[in-house]
Every structure is written in structure tokens, then in C-alpha cells.
Amino acid sequence: MKSSELLYSDPLACATAAAAEIIKRTGVASHDVALIMGSGWVSAVDALGTALYECNAAELTGFQPPTVEGHSGKVRSYAIEAAGKRVNALVFLGRTHLYEGKGVEPVVHSVRTAVKAGCKIVILTNACGGINPKFSVGQPVLIRDHISLTSVSPLSGATFLDLTDLYSKRIRAIVKQQDPTLDEGVYVHWRGPTYETPAEIHMMRTMGADLVGMSTVPEAIAAHALGAEILGISLVTNAAAGVTGEKLNHEEVIAAGKAAADRMGALLKGVIPKLF
Ligand code: HPA
């Protein structure tokens, strides 16, 4: 069977196969933490030092080449050492989005693979529009909760998963100890690929959303369903549509990410060993 067929017919078996390949290629029997680096976040991984292993994700079972600028489609393994501890981090540079139209299975394949490769914690990063005017461009915000507006779930069947503490309170407390200036917010998942209209942003704000983006939510659910603890961090790359009257474009999203990369990288590097 072709690996793309396996992804849709038996996604967990496909993730298990990809994880076995990662274990063999990296020589790391069990990774501890996965990082999914979204738009604008890719250069933040430079802070983690030199990768011990790197390949194109598309070489692994079930992965496809990336289609979004700013998403390189690489998988790397890092060892982060601090205070006598060594944490093995599996890093995915880029992700697949629902708006690519391939269904939800490729969107959550990275996190499922990471959990099958041993990761107990999954860190999901993204670029987002700021709905709440208290958030400014370049500001990282911890995801406290989400609202899904896509009506797409990575789960099917009678899997009535509790999402009360989806974005781990324990982890958020540790991250805020590391950087007490960090704020939290509610992230709303918008399918895209269009940005929202000002009227849609008005609706989201009325619903209680602070941040809007096109990723993260299916991955958080899929990884949590497999038992992983989740941290979500959004980088506000623009004011959401209608908030300032400015038009939105992908270049400003990438540029805001690059400008914040050093701070984001230092935050991740500092906090990861404290999570274990
Ligand atoms: N809307 C949706 N997704 C985004 C945005 C936005 O304003 N900015 C970055 N990703």
C-alpha cells in the first residue's frame, strides 16, 4: 500500500510507521517533546543549537511536501541539556493546514507521529491575528482555550474526549514563571485560506475569542486524544481584519515572525527542560 493511502485508511498505523522510521534514523529510542513550528516560527529553532538529525518530512511515511511559504517541511531532532537533564526534542518545521484541502489526516499526522515516537508533551506554535486590541503585533500569547469554527475533528466514532484542560494549566504556569510578561487568550480556528471579514472578526470577538488563526486546534485534539499534554503559543503577527482598518497579507505575517524569532527561541529553549 502507498504511504498516502495508509494515512487515510489507518492513520494511527501510518503514524506508528513514521515514528519507527524516526527512531531508526535518529537513534533516539524515545523523544520527549514535539515542537510544531508554524508560520514565522521556523527561525526560532536556531536557539535550540545544532540539530543532531534532519530530514525532509516527505521522506517519512505519510508526510507530503509543504505548500506554504515559510514552512520548510523538515523534521529535526535536538538534545536540549540544562540542569543535568537531557530532553530529546522532535521538531517539525512547518505543518499541513485544513485549507490545503487534503482533509484532516495530513494535518494531524505530525503530532500523531510525535506521540508514537515517545513525545509526552506537544508544543504547537502558530501565527495569528489579534482580535483583542490589548494584544500587539510581535507579542506571543499562550493559548488558554479554543473555539473551533471549522466543524472538523480529527476524531471520529464515539470518542467523547474531555477538553476541559486541553491546553495544560500545569505547563502554562511553568511558561509564565519563565516569562511573567506572557498573557493568555482564546484562539479561534478559522479554516481559511481567506482571512476573515471584519464582520466575522466582530462575531468572534463577541463569542469571546482573542486570537484567530488557521491551525493548531485539530493537532491539539489529536495529540491530547493520544495522551499528550499540550502547550499552544500564538505569535500575534497582525491585527485581525477590521481591528485597525489595515489590509492583511502573508508577508507581514512572516516578517513579524522573523522579528520575534530570537525571543521565541530563547523562551522555548529555557522552558522545555522545566517541563520534565
Ligand atoms: N487570520 C487568520 N490566520 C492568521 C491571521 C489572521 O489574521 N494572521 C496570521 N494567521
Side-chain angles (χ1 to χ4, degrees):
M1 188 187 285
K2 276 182 32 197
S3 83
S4 55
E5 286 166 13
L6 183 63
L7 177 66
Y8 293 99
S9 65
D10 192 344
L12 287 181
C14 189
T16 304
E21 290 159 16
I22 288 172
I23 291 166
K24 194 165 169 211
R25 284 168 174 241
T26 59
V28 177
S30 183
H31 280 81
D32 303 299
V33 60
L35 283 122
I36 311 288
M37 308 308 280
S39 300
W41 280 80
V42 169
S43 32
V45 290
D46 292 346
L48 301 183
T50 308
L52 303 181
Y53 179 79
E54 175 184 287
C55 71
N56 288 319
E59 293 169 32
L60 303 170
T61 296
F63 286 86
Q64 294 159 15
T67 54
V68 184
E69 191 205 332
H71 287 230
S72 81
K74 302 257 191 247
V75 180
R76 292 185 188 158
S77 175
Y78 289 87
I80 303 171
E81 307 204 26
K85 269 191 264 182
R86 176 190 164 122
V87 176
N88 292 305
L90 189 60
V91 178
F92 294 83
L93 299 181
R95 54 155 59 90
T96 303
H97 301 79
L98 277 185
Y99 61 70
E100 293 172 51
K102 300 171 185 163
V104 73
E105 301 307 347
V107 173
V108 296
H109 186 50
S110 301
V111 295
R112 283 179 169 155
T113 298
V115 178
K116 295 290 180 190
C119 296
K120 303 271 181 296
I121 295 176
V122 172
I123 300 178
L124 300 165
T125 69
N126 64 48
C128 74
I131 297 176
N132 189 327
K134 78 173 173 175
F135 296 139
S136 38
V137 170
Q139 181 175 352
V141 182
L142 302 182
I143 301 178
R144 172 168 56 80
D145 202 348
H146 77 229
I147 296 171
S148 172
L149 285 186
T150 67
S151 65
V152 172
S153 174
L155 309 181
S156 44
T159 38
F160 306 115
L161 183 68
D162 174 66
L163 299 182
T164 309
D165 190 24
L166 177 59
Y167 301 93
S168 165
K169 257 196 201 108
R170 180 190 81 88
I171 296 184
R172 278 185 281 134
I174 296 170
V175 180
K176 283 197 281 186
Q177 252 171 24
Q178 171 85 10
D179 183 346
T181 68
L182 284 172
D183 208 341
E184 299 188 339
V186 174
Y187 176 92
V188 59
H189 185 200
W190 179 250
R191 180 193 183 272
T194 58
Y195 289 115
E196 307 71 29
T197 63
E200 285 157 350
I201 293 297
H202 182 76
M203 171 190 75
M204 292 170 187
R205 186 185 305 123
T206 310
M207 288 171 135
D210 301 300
L211 312 160
V212 57
M214 303 179 194
S215 68
T216 302
V217 165
E219 293 150 288
I221 293 172
H224 190 57
L226 295 178
E229 235 183 327
I230 311 297
L231 169 66
I233 315 182
S234 289
L235 179 70
V236 179
T237 53
N238 56 279
V243 172
T244 61
E246 291 293 313
K247 290 201 173 188
L248 276 53
N249 65 73
H250 188 55
E251 289 67 38
E252 75 174 332
V253 169
I254 299 293
K258 284 203 175 114
D262 287 350
R263 178 177 176 200
M264 300 300 89
L267 175 68
L268 292 172
K269 186 178 177 173
V271 89
I272 286 171
K274 298 188 177 145
L275 303 181
F276 292 90

